[in-house]
Amino acid sequence: MKKFLIVLGLTSAFLMSTLSADALKNSLTNILHTKDSSGMVNLNGVSVGAKPKQRMINQARKSRPASAVIGRYNDGKPVHKREADKYITKATKGKIKDLDLLPKKQRLMVLKDLQRMYAIKHFKSRPAKAVVAIVNGQKIHKKSADHYLKLVTKGKVTDFDKLDKKQRLVLIKELARPIVLQADIDQNLTKDEKEAVLSQAWLQKQRATTKVTNEQMLALYEAKKAKALAVNPQAQIPPYISLGENLKNEIIEKEIMAHLMKNVNITVNFDSNKTVPSSQSNESSEKLDKISDKKETK
C-alpha cells in the first residue's frame, strides 16, 4: 500500500509538470500568433514549435526584481527593470510584461530603445555662443555650425548638437576649409594678388547668377558676322555653335559692367587748357603718324 501511494504521487507530479509545460507552450503560441501592429518588439527569436525545456521554465520563474539595474543612461543614471517591463507591456499591448522572458538579444534592443528615448527627452542643446571647435586658434561658434547645417540640410536639421560624433567632425572640417584657405592666402599672396583672387571669385559668382538667353547670343553673333563681312565680304565666319561659350561670356561681362556703372557718379576735373576739337585732334594724329623715322641732320 505504501509503495502504491509513492508511485501514485510520482505519477501525479509528472502529469502536473507535463500539463504545466503544455499550458506555457499554448500561452506562448497564442501570444505569438495574435496579430500585433505595434512593430516595436520583435519576437522572432522565440521558438514555439518545440516543447519548452525545463531550464527555460525555471529561468522564467526566476525573474529579476523590478528594482534590478539592467543598464545605464548616457548621464550615468541607472535603468531599472521596471522601466523595461513597462515599455514591453505597452509595446506588446500586454502580451509580454516581463523583460526576462525575452532572449538576450531582444533584451539588449529594449535597453537601447530606452536609452535612445531618454537621450531625446533629456536633450539639452548648447547656447549659440558656445565654441564647438578651434581651428588654428580661430574659434568656431555653435551659431555658425547651426547656420551651415541648416543650409546643407535645407532646413531639415538645424541643431549641431543633434549630430553624432562622426557627423560633427565632417561638418567642422567643412567649416575649417575657408579658415585654412584664408591663412594660406595671407601667408603666400601679396596684396595685389589677393585683390585679383577676390575679383576673380566675385566675377565667377556674378557669371553663375547672370542668365543669358539664346536670342541674346544669336543677336550678338549676327551683329559680329555683319561687321566682319562689311570689312571683308570674303571673310570665313565660324559657325554659331562653335562660338556659343565666347558669346555668352561677352554678354555676361557687358551686363555685369552695365550693372556696376548704372548708379556710378563720375565727376571729371578738367585743366585750364583749351579743348582741342576732335577733327583737329585727328588731323594732328595723322600728321604725327606720317613723320618718318629719320635721324635728325644738321
Side-chain angles (χ1 to χ4, degrees), residues 7-26:
V7 172
L8 180 61
L10 292 174
T11 304
S12 300
F14 176 78
L15 290 174
M16 290 178 65
S17 176
T18 304
L19 290 173
S20 177
D22 290 339
L24 178 60
K25 175 183 175 182
N26 293 333

Side-chain angles (χ1 to χ4, degrees), residues 90-101:
K90 183 178 179 180
T92 62
K93 298 181 180 179
K95 297 172 185 176
I96 299 178
K97 300 180 180 180
D98 194 330
L99 175 71
D100 290 338
L101 290 177

Side-chain angles (χ1 to χ4, degrees), residues 108-153:
L108 290 174
M109 291 173 60
V110 171
L111 176 60
K112 287 183 178 180
D113 272 353
L114 290 172
Q115 291 171 332
R116 177 181 56 81
M117 291 187 295
Y118 182 89
I120 294 173
K121 182 178 179 180
H122 295 83
F123 174 78
K124 292 182 180 179
S125 180
R126 289 173 289 180
K129 62 182 180 180
V131 177
V132 296
I134 300 177
V135 180
N136 289 344
Q138 185 169 338
K139 297 178 180 178
I140 297 178
H141 294 91
K142 184 174 177 293
K143 182 179 180 181
S144 300
D146 289 344
H147 178 70
Y148 183 75
L149 180 61
K150 184 178 180 180
L151 289 177
V152 297
T153 62

Side-chain angles (χ1 to χ4, degrees), residues 214 217-218 221 237-248:
N214 291 330
M217 295 169 61
L218 185 59
Y221 173 78
I237 308 299
Y240 167 74
I241 193 171
S242 66
L243 299 176
E245 195 64 28
N246 293 334
L247 295 170
K248 181 179 179 180

Side-chain angles (χ1 to χ4, degrees), residues 221-235:
Y221 173 78
E222 293 296 340
K224 286 180 172 292
K225 179 180 177 181
K227 186 176 181 179
L229 292 176
V231 175
N232 180 13
Q234 304 300 324

Side-chain angles (χ1 to χ4, degrees), residues 73-98:
Y73 291 119
N74 56 358
D75 59 359
K77 181 181 177 181
V79 184
H80 293 102
K81 182 175 174 290
R82 68 170 64 90
E83 299 173 66
D85 291 344
K86 183 178 179 180
Y87 174 73
I88 294 172
T89 302
K90 183 178 179 180
T92 62
K93 298 181 180 179
K95 297 172 185 176
I96 299 178
K97 300 180 180 180
D98 194 330

